[in-house]
Amino acid sequence: AYNTAGKSYYNQKAFDKAIQAFKNALKKNTEYPEAHFNKGVASYQLGKYEESISDLSKAIGYEKKNAIWYYHLARAYQARKDYKNAVLNYTECINNSMPHIIEEAVYNRGICYYQAKHFNEALADYLKLQTKMADSISKTFDRELATIYLHVSKYDSAIAHYHKSLQ
């Protein structure tokens, strides 16, 4: 009942009330993975990344193959600028994922690689996406890809993608 109430509060964007409801659910059953996950996601919404990481990690401890949970854990690490752990969790998400979340996880992992100055890895992720999403690539994506090409000294490709982003 508390977990359901928490989800209702979450959907109303009443994140503090949602967290309290999830805490109440966990008082009744400390080994309730979904309540840990839900509390972690609500904590993330309030910018409480340490709490989010703690709860999401607990949830994953119970269900190691849940791609969505790894995705949210990666986002919390990324928000903390802990790109190493963000990349690890995006990779787990990708390895255990359903098709609809893979592209977003690969894109976010590429951003983390870029922010951590691992430009070759960032380029590899962006190129994977470029082939999969050729028809729906945005100008922002082309600009980001151009910047990565610049960092790996592929100047012709950088110029081409900068021009593409301006069209």
Side-chain angles (χ1 to χ4, degrees), residues 78-93:
Q78 185 177 2
R80 274 191 47 226
K81 298 184 182 344
D82 181 347
Y83 302 121
K84 180 181 178 186
N85 281 310
V87 164
L88 290 172
N89 284 283
Y90 280 128
T91 301
E92 281 298 321
C93 171

Side-chain angles (χ1 to χ4, degrees), residues 11-52:
N11 289 333
Q12 295 171 31
K13 299 190 184 329
F15 302 119
D16 285 320
K17 287 181 179 180
I19 289 169
Q20 190 55 53
F22 298 133
K23 282 181 181 179
N24 289 335
L26 290 165
K27 283 180 188 173
K28 290 202 168 253
N29 179 2
T30 59
E31 297 181 10
Y32 191 174
E34 186 182 347
H36 282 293
F37 169 76
N38 291 334
K39 184 173 171 275
V41 173
S43 295
Y44 175 88
Q45 293 297 329
L46 292 175
K48 298 178 178 180
Y49 304 125
E50 292 300 322
E51 285 180 42
S52 178

Side-chain angles (χ1 to χ4, degrees), residues 110-124:
I111 290 171
C112 288
Y113 278 136
Y114 176 81
Q115 290 169 325
K117 299 189 183 330
H118 297 283
F119 301 117
N120 288 319
E121 291 87 348
L123 180 60

